[in-house]
């Protein structure tokens, strides 16, 4: 059942309402009579949609069935992307600490891309020195060249971050990374990349709590003072 707000809905129109679509087979007014059209302020029952739309959805008339299918397909794609983003919580250097505290991660997976082989080997060696018994830094893929769509797809499947040195992501790869929520970090100085990963690892570490003895105080006497409470006289 719809309430027309603008324009005229006619029998035979192709309509879209959320994910529902179809051709109007019949219009029934509030008296139970079939009508050929309905204008503003007229409530009608619409027959012909392929499914029942959600309450409060807006209903639109389109020119062709292919337009309706494109709109519905676009909505399905958006819903799918949103669900995938919710189901796969992505990791970034900034949120590693919180994820470790929640017991969600003990391995930092990295995809490494560089402009030349020499820089790639230097980065690989530097990251290889970052060791700790509680955390593993694992380079799951490294190569020379720009960040590609396949790199982003691999990062999505492996819950990894992408580090690029002196390169940039391809246009499609950048769009895909934003869509999938993949953390892409770009650097021009090697030690900055290593420092960032090291800082992330330090944030991941379980706290090592130590008590440091500063002194002691022996209470010799107590005094009760109105409106203030009890005061202790101490020898430190």
């Amino acid at each position: 059942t719809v309430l027309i707000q603008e324009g005229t809905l006619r029998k035979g129109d192709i309509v879209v309402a959320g994910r529902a679509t179809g051709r109007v087979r019949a219009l029934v007014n509030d008296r139970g009579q079939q009508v050929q059209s309905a204008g503003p302020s007229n409530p009608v029952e619409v027959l012909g949609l392929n499914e029942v739309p959600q309450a409060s959805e807006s209903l639109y008339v389109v020119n062709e069935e292919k337009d309706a299918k494109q709109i519905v397909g676009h909505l399905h794609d958006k819903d799918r992307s949103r669900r995938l983003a919710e189901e796969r919580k992505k990791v970034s250097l900034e949120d590693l600490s919180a994820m470790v505290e929640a017991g969600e991660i003990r391995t930092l997976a990295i995809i490494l891309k560089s402009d030349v082989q020499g820089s790639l080997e230097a980065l690989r060696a530097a990251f290889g020195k970052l060791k700790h018994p509680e955390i593993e830094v694992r380079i799951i893929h490294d190569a020379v060249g720009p960040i590609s769509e396949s790199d982003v797809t691999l990062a999505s499947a492996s819950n990894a971050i992408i580090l690029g040195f002196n390169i940039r992501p391809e246009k499609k790869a950048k769009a895909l990374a934003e869509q999938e929520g993949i953390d892409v970090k770009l650097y021009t100085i090697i030690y900055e990349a290593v420092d960032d990963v090291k800082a992330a690892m330090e944030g991941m570490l379980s706290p090592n709590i130590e008590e440091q003895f500063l002194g002691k105080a022996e209470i010799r006497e107590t005094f009760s003072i109105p409106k203030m409470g009890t005061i202790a006289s101490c020898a430190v």
Side-chain angles (χ1 to χ4, degrees), residues 90 111 113 141 145-156 160-164 167-186:
K90 300 304 175 189
I111 293 174
K113 299 298 291 283
H141 175 66
I147 297 167
S148 64
E149 287 182 274
S150 60
D151 296 324
V152 177
T153 302
L154 177 59
S156 178
I161 63 172
I162 300 175
L163 302 183
I167 48 95
R168 292 289 181 270
E170 296 174 351
K171 186 176 180 181
K172 290 183 178 180
K174 183 178 180 181
L176 182 60
E178 291 174 355
Q179 178 183 328
E180 295 290 332
I182 302 299
D183 190 29
V184 178
K185 298 288 187 181
L186 303 175

Side-chain angles (χ1 to χ4, degrees), residues 223-231:
F223 305 91
S224 181
I225 300 179
K227 297 183 180 180
M228 290 188 64
T230 303
I231 305 297

Side-chain angles (χ1 to χ4, degrees), residues 26 58 61 78 86 89 100 113 122 132 166 173 187 193 220 234:
S58 295
V61 176
K78 285 184 66 176
E86 291 174 352
K89 185 178 180 182
V100 171
K113 299 298 291 283
H132 192 277
N166 275 340
Y187 300 93
R220 296 292 180 87
C234 305

Side-chain angles (χ1 to χ4, degrees), residues 31-218:
R31 297 183 181 89
Q33 302 167 336
Q34 288 202 25
V35 294
Q36 295 299 311
S37 64
S41 303
N42 290 332
V44 286
E45 183 179 348
V46 180
L47 280 68
L49 275 70
N50 62 344
E51 62 180 81
V52 180
Q54 296 238 352
S56 79
E57 285 282 10
S58 295
L59 181 139
Y60 300 96
V61 176
V62 296
N63 293 328
E64 299 181 16
E65 287 187 11
K66 67 177 183 179
D67 297 331
K69 291 179 180 178
Q70 285 179 352
I71 294 171
V72 173
H74 177 67
L75 291 173
H76 279 300
D77 289 343
K78 285 184 66 176
D79 287 344
R80 179 176 177 274
S81 297
R82 178 181 53 80
R83 288 196 305 269
L84 287 174
E86 291 174 352
E87 290 169 3
R88 298 197 306 266
K89 185 178 180 182
K90 300 304 175 189
V91 64
S92 67
L93 288 180
E94 285 74 15
D95 62 16
L96 279 175
S97 179
M99 294 180 72
V100 171
E101 288 178 4
E104 297 178 9
I105 189 170
R106 285 298 182 202
T107 300
L108 175 56
I110 294 175
I111 293 174
L112 195 57
K113 299 298 291 283
S114 179
D115 56 342
V116 294
Q117 188 66 33
S119 298
L120 193 66
E121 292 175 0
L123 284 163
R124 193 189 303 123
F127 289 137
K129 295 177 182 177
L130 299 179
K131 296 184 181 296
H132 192 277
E134 294 186 25
I135 302 163
E136 176 190 6
V137 176
R138 186 160 53 95
I139 298 176
I140 60 175
H141 175 66
D142 56 55
V144 173
I147 297 167
S148 64
E149 287 182 274
S150 60
D151 296 324
V152 177
T153 302
L154 177 59
S156 178
S158 308
N159 203 25
I161 63 172
I162 300 175
L163 302 183
F165 182 75
N166 275 340
I167 48 95
R168 292 289 181 270
E170 296 174 351
K171 186 176 180 181
K172 290 183 178 180
K174 183 178 180 181
L176 182 60
E178 291 174 355
Q179 178 183 328
E180 295 290 332
I182 302 299
D183 190 29
V184 178
K185 298 288 187 181
L186 303 175
Y187 300 93
T188 56
I189 301 175
I190 289 180
Y191 75 78
E192 288 183 354
V194 176
D195 285 349
D196 277 3
V197 173
K198 185 177 180 180
M201 291 178 65
E202 291 172 350
M204 293 166 64
L205 300 179
S206 300
N208 183 22
I209 300 174
E210 294 182 359
E211 290 186 358
Q212 185 174 2
F213 182 81
L214 299 178
K216 64 179 181 179
E218 180 183 349

